[in-house]
Amino acid sequence: MSGLPGYTGAARRVLERAGASVGDYVELVTSDGRVFRGILMPRYALSQKPIVVLKLDNGYNVGVRVDEHAQVVVLKTREAVLREAAAGAPAPVPLLEEQPRREGLPRVSVLGTGGTIASKVEYETGAVKPAFSSEEILEAVPEVGFIAEIKARVVMNILSENMRPRYWERIVEEVAREIEGGAEGVVVAHGTDTMAYTAAALAFALRGLPVPVALVGAQRSSDRPSSDAAFNLLAAVLYAARYEGAEVAVVMHGETGDTYALAHRGTRVRKMHTSRRDAFQSINDRPLARIYPFERRIEPLQEPLRRRGAEELRVENGFEEKVALVKYYPGMDAEVIDFLVDRGYKGIVLEGTGLGHVGEWLVDSIKRAVDSDVVVVMTSQTLFGRVNMNVYNTGRKLLAAGVVPAEDMLPETAYVKLSWLLARYEPREARRLIRVNLAGEIGERHTLDLYPRWPL
Amino acid sequence: MMERRADPSSVDPRELGLRVGLEIHQQLATRRKLFCSCPAELSGEGEPSDVFVRQLRPTRSELGEVDIAALFEWRKGRMYRYHAPRMHSCLVEADEEPPHEMNREAVVIALAMARAFNSMVVDEIYVMRKIVIDGSNTSGFQRTAIVALGGAVKLPSGKTLGIQSIAVEEDAARKLGEEGRFTDYLLDRLGIPLIEISTAPDIESPEEAYEAALTIGQMLRLTGRVKRGLGTIRQDLNVSIKGGAKIEIKGVQRLDLLPKIVLYEALRQKRLLEIRDELRRRGVSREDVVSNASIVDVSDVFKETKSKIIRRSLQRGGRVLAVRLYGFAGLLGVEVQPGRRFGTELADYARFWGGVGGIFHSDELPGYGITAEELEQVYKALKANPERDAVVLVADEERKARKALEAVVERAAMALEGVPKETRAANEDGTTRFMRPQPGSARMYPETDIPPLEVTEDMLAEAEKLKPPHPMEKMEELRRRYGLSDDLARQLLRSPYLPLFETLAEELAGKLSASYIASVFTNILRSLQREGVPVERLGEEQLEAVLRKAAEGAVGKDAVPELLAYLAKNPGASVEEAIEKLGLRRVDTADVERLVEEAVEKLRQEILARGQRALSKVMGAVMPKLRGRVDGRLVAEIARRKIEEVLRQASGAPERAS
Ligand SMILES: [Zn+2]
């Protein structure tokens, strides 16, 4: 990094006058006579205040207010600083002393889509940069080298919240390419916010999947010692290399501690917490397996949909973007539905109340949507349980209007599924297939234990 | 040949060019923690808590460096078991939620100190992550932020000591213990705000180090916004002598130990330089040490050994490895600090790098069950010359033993250069032990989860109100305002109870003298402590309650020590309970009259013989039954009157109604 990123106004003018750029070692004398020396840092703060940020010799950053009379002198250029630092650095020590044997291990491909499973810190600024080559991963998490022969590459660099259906298509292609190239398992590193959507997308598009595919991420960034990235990656690689089934799963911490990870079926998983390591939970279903990365052990918790190698991969890629996921709320107006219909949306997934209801004043607009060949699907905002629209009058009216109840499917999964179906089927067929279990997204039996409770 | 014993009295620190810098860490008395809304206090016993286990991975610095101590722990599979009390920790301490914005209250207290030292306040405060991978921080780093730079403090000696920086940072979790590969930590203390004041390395004697720590500590307390009691203040030191090295010493909790630690460290560095000079005199070079140090398996020598340690190790499949230290004959037994030999320093390295229990070296052998014959054979196996060389043995798993001996050789080679840069930990006796090599550069990264905090005019104005006076000024005030003696004022300044004293001296004026209240907080507490009373358990509320009872006249002043002792020994007891239990309830005058009459009756012969001079006898008989429940002066008055009556009766004078 160089130049003066983040600096505006007087601060920028003072720095420009001195010919300083980020990374230079400078002396700053303020107009009230205070003297500071340190490496010029980029300014990330949102405020426009005329503040110069320096990294002092003791490693601390401080912000100093300047005006036009402040004096800056560059004492050492960024290049000189880096040269000195590199000269004083000791020889790097590997994390592990033993080297893994490379032959005979299952081949696992690791694909990066964004987020940081491994990262490096920039010397001048302390900024975190992703590191994603096979070598970099093996350097950061050498243990994976003992489980699998790793091949890693970056396929895109998207912030999780910026993920779009068209990127799912790219990821489907890349995963398929690895499987066709002989990978015995695939790990997709992904930001956690929308990871569950991508997992569902892969589960629908990779028909006849012959190997396990794990999506993995980190809730604590990988530049910190307490990061969950390495633990999760280890668990994901174990899943990809050794799991007996061939399913798409999200593999993340199973509890707050570093004891086990859980592999959640890609169509049944939801991020249920903003920040905890164990944010991902299986809803209306048991996780596929518990994984103990330190013991290199996988404990299956239920039957996989498909065994490894049982089928041939058939890629059915493509997602319709004109599909909406709409959460019902008591003040909702019918024009929300009308708007989507008028804008040419092909599918609407409703997240209704309770057993699958919306205010009866929406029924007419919904009927109009169905009559316009828009597929309208009902899920529940309770998340847990199955929709049943036969119990109450409103439900029956909605059924009569043509709403398709989505059984016990998660709203997000129903949204991904509808998007996938509408990219390849007529509305009629899509309406039928919504209610057919294609990738473990629908369960017929719920037992009493499938619901979290407070411990006694 | 060198003198074997290390004698602290032989050291003149100034002559050695002693230089000391202090880092004072003091817990702040804020309502909430630094980066979350948990109360900034320790948890109570029996509080419901959750337990979880974590690992910390050593991270690579921007230059590819790895913290070696952390790496070793990680390779060994070190796990940290955290106990999270639900009322005193939340997801932030569990590293399960990003930190909240920095507690302004803590920043203001630090700004107040900055004002007192005339330091340069920064305009925007940036929180940094200082990597700490011993498990004491769940995140693997300590969050810390510089608030001000520069400034100075005047010591009572008149010397001006430079201040380098003032930072606000989070305290670490409390270590509960270790069990196999698990280390247990309690999360209540994690996140309590600390102020860190770093002085320039301008301190030139052990006494001055004490003076500086005392003065800064007093100023902190004079803000009225810092925590009190054991463990709320800790000092780190850096100590060097001319030709030595800047050694960091961590975690000194007892102020009175500070001068000794400084002196002993100066001594250690001096002794290490003497060992270097002795080696040079012997003509030993680094090359001699390193190239003559092949590690040899001498297990065969010990097949029939009487040494229990070695036998046990061999039975477990371990080996005995030995190495020669060329030219070191006699030097391993040389003391570097009282009770710590150069061999102990080598053993520290063996333990740290090899993870072994310890070493045997030729200057302590024969011994520990190892015979002279065995030692001789080891010398032979190593082709070493007992007149010239030392040998070191380790019995353990072969891989560990080898690493341990490699570290021993490396440390021995360092002796030729003098004092290696180390971070050391203080022992109870003032000596120090090797903790870890000093980390290369300050491993400090921006805390990207917390926005920078602008120092506003409002904050500076609040700080101005908390700005402490200099302790000398405060002492003058105590003398003037409360009429305290020099000695009491000085003691009170060192006491954590100074603010309480001021409150009570004002409120109880006219009922209890300020000097008396001051003496309770100083002399009385100290003598109770000397008697073994756990006075540190006394809370301010209890001290206050006892003094209020005395002021009301509910108990006598002489009952105060007894009451305090009771409360200290019975946590949770109320003052009323204590008064009841100790039988200190005030007696009324009628009871006193009755008791005195009884005594006078018994002592009638004595009184008739000695008159009023028998008063002390009467008092001696009565007071044990009344101590603390009534003012002695009242008893004396009644006794004098009763004696008078007895005498008058005896002389036949008419009796008057009393
Ligand atoms: Zn908290």
Side-chain angles (χ1 to χ4, degrees), chain A residues 60 65 97 256 258 275 277, chain B residues 53 95-96 121 123 144 403:
Chain A
Y60 281 90
R65 184 188 298 274
E97 291 175 294
T256 184
D258 293 334
S275 58
R277 287 165 172 74
Chain B
V53 168
D95 193 44
E96 283 286 45
V121 172
D123 297 306
T144 171
K403 282 189 176 254

Side-chain angles (χ1 to χ4, degrees), chain A residues 37-115:
Chain A
R37 281 180 174 204
I39 297 174
L40 183 63
M41 295 280 110
R43 180 156 165 78
Y44 292 120
L46 294 173
S47 91
Q48 296 294 309
K49 300 232 164 63
I51 290 209
V52 169
V53 186
L54 297 178
K55 186 185 192 68
L56 307 175
D57 294 343
N58 60 15
Y60 281 90
N61 289 9
V62 298
V64 183
R65 184 188 298 274
V66 295
D67 55 23
E68 301 288 349
H69 305 292
Q71 293 295 322
V72 171
V73 182
V74 176
L75 301 177
K76 260 182 253 172
T77 62
R78 171 173 178 268
E79 289 67 33
V81 170
L82 283 175
R83 228 175 10 248
E84 276 177 29
V93 182
L95 289 186
L96 288 180
E97 291 175 294
E98 320 87 281
Q99 290 301 311
R101 62 187 173 102
R102 292 202 66 119
E103 328 76 53
L105 291 176
R107 279 164 295 162
V108 169
S109 295
V110 183
L111 302 179
T113 67

